[in-house]
Amino acid sequence: MFHFLQKHIQEIINPTDDEFEIIQSFFVKKKFRKRQFLIQEHQPVHEIFLIEKGILKSSIIDSSGKEHILQFAASNWWISDFAGFFKQETSSLAVDCIEDSEVYALSYEDLNLLCRKVPVMEHFFRVKSNFGYVALQQRILSLMSKTAKERYEDFIKQYPGFTDHIPKQLIASYLGVSRETLSRLYS
Amino acid sequence: MFHFLQKHIQEIINPTDDEFEIIQSFFVKKKFRKRQFLIQEHQPVHEIFLIEKGILKSSIIDSSGKEHILQFAASNWWISDFAGFFKQETSSLAVDCIEDSEVYALSYEDLNLLCRKVPVMEHFFRVKSNFGYVALQQRILSLMSKTAKERYEDFIKQYPGFTDHIPKQLIASYLGVSRETLSRLYS
């Protein structure tokens, strides 16, 4: 059952069997249906989620009611409102499922306790946080300085194989373009 | 000389005197003049920088030659092209000084060696990385979903006291508005 979790962690560190017993005891497996919310806006953010199956997104609704998508995530990715989680404030983002999904949830208290009990996990989460930062930096530079066509190419590169699974309307919202502009980029 | 560094680190962890001796031995103090570059685009990124004095910015030049500013940073902040640094790739960003600046530089190899020698530093850098992520998420949501006026208010909040030290042209570039639009936001 926890084979997926073990493999994911072993991409970065190599815990002993005893350490892995402790690690897996902190994670809670959860299933969500398509369109179900893991995090809703303006609520406390209790958990971060490692995705085993499915596709999810994080997004914000602006004052005019329009949805802006920050990130998509699929198997082997983490998702949450990390700002709300790390600052232990209420969420700015919503996180919901584009497909039925299975995730491993880790609470804020458990993340910190786990790092104290199994110190190699501190290294694991530092590296993960660094790469999360890298992904956001690329997203921000893309938004600030690139054309719609270049942003679409970045999307294809960052999310290989996602295009078939994500409704075009959501891809348009991620790119910040209209559905019509997106159609032109496809051709 | 290293009192500033010690105070900065003690905001998050409490190393012993012996540990602090090791920690400070990894940092190299450097001085830069106004307009001098710490990192240039398309070059290897060797170091991250903790700022003691001065004001710096990280930015990207788009294909039309226009500068887009990702972040400003002053005393007690870290700056680099973190994406280039953590992936050990060439930089997308340039980092340069808005004022004469004094920084503590830490190389990639030394960061990893330091975390192995003084494990509490792994925790320090995990927390720092988390907060860096939070700042970028706020920046991205601001860019995606807010009006120029709201972005200006976010800027004031995130960089209290910076407005007097940063030329208005650079603030306009950070906000993604023209110099004329910025003047209207001020009034």
Side-chain angles (χ1 to χ4, degrees):
Chain A
M1 176 186 171
F2 285 98
H3 181 67
F4 169 80
L5 184 60
Q6 187 163 23
K7 227 178 114 200
H8 175 80
I9 287 168
Q10 283 174 339
E11 287 172 15
I12 294 175
I13 56 170
N14 227 325
T16 64
D17 287 350
D18 287 350
E19 282 172 335
F20 192 72
E21 281 295 314
I22 301 170
I23 293 167
Q24 68 176 34
S25 72
F26 281 92
F27 285 84
V28 180
K29 182 95 179 251
K30 296 188 176 183
K31 293 185 183 194
F32 295 91
R33 311 284 297 177
K34 182 173 171 173
R35 294 203 180 83
Q36 208 176 341
F37 282 83
L38 284 70
I39 295 173
Q40 289 192 292
E41 283 180 291
H42 315 305
Q43 301 289 325
V45 183
H46 298 299
E47 295 164 311
I48 51 177
F49 304 97
L50 168 64
I51 302 162
E52 180 166 5
K53 289 181 191 157
I55 297 184
L56 297 95
K57 65 176 162 66
S58 62
S59 59
I60 189 171
I61 309 287
D62 71 19
S63 46
S64 73
K66 195 177 160 197
E67 182 183 33
H68 303 269
I69 295 174
L70 177 67
Q71 289 187 299
F72 297 111
S75 185
N76 224 27
W77 294 52
W78 291 77
I79 198 163
S80 187
D81 177 332
F82 292 103
F85 182 80
F86 288 123
K87 294 181 88 173
Q88 285 290 283
E89 291 178 352
T90 57
S91 55
S92 316
L93 296 170
V95 174
D96 68 327
C97 298
I98 295 173
E99 293 183 348
D100 290 355
S101 299
E102 296 180 23
V103 303
Y104 291 92
L106 181 65
S107 74
Y108 186 77
E109 293 71 25
D110 280 351
L111 166 64
N112 289 306
L113 191 56
L114 173 55
C115 287
R116 281 200 298 278
K117 284 206 174 179
V118 184
V120 286
M121 288 301 285
E122 194 90 71
H123 178 71
F124 174 83
F125 284 111
R126 175 169 75 85
V127 171
K128 279 289 166 197
S129 181
N130 292 343
F131 285 124
Y133 186 98
V134 168
L136 276 201
Q137 180 176 312
Q138 281 162 349
R139 176 97 170 100
I140 210 168
L141 296 181
S142 198
L143 277 172
M144 283 201 306
S145 68
K146 295 193 177 176
T147 63
K149 190 171 172 14
E150 290 168 330
R151 290 207 298 280
Y152 180 66
E153 287 160 0
D154 281 356
F155 167 78
I156 302 286
K157 216 182 294 170
Q158 204 193 345
Y159 297 104
F162 276 50
T163 38
D164 297 341
H165 297 274
I166 300 176
K168 301 220 179 349
Q169 185 57 50
L170 296 181
I171 298 177
S173 164
Y174 175 88
L175 296 173
V177 300
S178 69
R179 185 74 182 73
E180 294 68 39
T181 304
L182 182 67
S183 299
R184 281 198 300 277
L185 297 177
Y186 265 100
S187 55
Chain B
M1 177 187 169
F2 285 98
H3 180 68
F4 169 81
L5 185 59
Q6 186 163 24
K7 226 179 113 202
H8 176 80
I9 287 169
Q10 283 174 338
E11 286 173 15
I12 295 177
I13 56 169
N14 227 326
T16 64
D17 287 350
D18 288 348
E19 282 173 335
F20 192 72
E21 281 296 314
I22 301 170
I23 293 167
Q24 68 176 35
S25 72
F26 281 92
F27 285 84
V28 180
K29 182 96 180 248
K30 297 188 175 183
K31 291 183 184 195
F32 295 91
R33 311 284 297 177
K34 182 173 171 172
R35 295 204 179 85
Q36 207 176 340
F37 282 82
L38 285 70
I39 295 174
Q40 288 192 294
E41 283 180 290
H42 315 305
Q43 301 288 325
V45 183
H46 297 299
E47 296 164 310
I48 52 179
F49 304 97
L50 169 64
I51 303 162
E52 180 166 6
K53 287 181 194 159
I55 297 183
L56 297 94
K57 66 175 161 68
S58 62
S59 59
I60 189 172
I61 309 288
D62 71 19
S63 46
S64 74
K66 194 176 161 199
E67 182 182 35
H68 303 269
I69 295 174
L70 178 66
Q71 288 187 298
F72 297 109
S75 184
N76 226 27
W77 294 51
W78 291 77
I79 198 162
S80 187
D81 179 333
F82 292 102
F85 181 80
F86 289 122
K87 295 182 87 170
Q88 284 291 283
E89 292 178 351
T90 56
S91 55
S92 317
L93 296 170
V95 175
D96 69 325
C97 299
I98 295 173
E99 293 183 349
D100 291 356
S101 299
E102 295 180 23
V103 303
Y104 291 92
L106 180 64
S107 75
Y108 185 78
E109 293 71 26
D110 279 350
L111 167 64
N112 289 306
L113 190 56
L114 172 56
C115 287
R116 280 200 299 277
K117 284 206 176 181
V118 183
V120 285
M121 287 302 283
E122 194 89 72
H123 178 72
F124 174 83
F125 284 112
R126 175 169 75 85
V127 171
K128 278 289 167 198
S129 182
N130 292 343
F131 285 125
Y133 185 98
V134 168
L136 276 201
Q137 179 177 314
Q138 280 162 348
R139 176 96 170 101
I140 209 169
L141 296 181
S142 198
L143 277 172
M144 283 202 304
S145 68
K146 295 194 177 174
T147 63
K149 188 167 171 17
E150 289 167 331
R151 291 206 297 280
Y152 180 65
E153 288 159 1
D154 282 356
F155 167 79
I156 301 285
K157 216 181 295 170
Q158 204 193 344
Y159 298 105
F162 276 51
T163 37
D164 297 340
H165 297 274
I166 300 176
K168 301 222 179 346
Q169 185 57 49
L170 297 179
I171 298 176
S173 164
Y174 175 88
L175 296 173
V177 300
S178 70
R179 185 75 182 72
E180 293 69 37
T181 304
L182 182 66
S183 299
R184 281 198 300 276
L185 298 177
Y186 265 100
S187 56

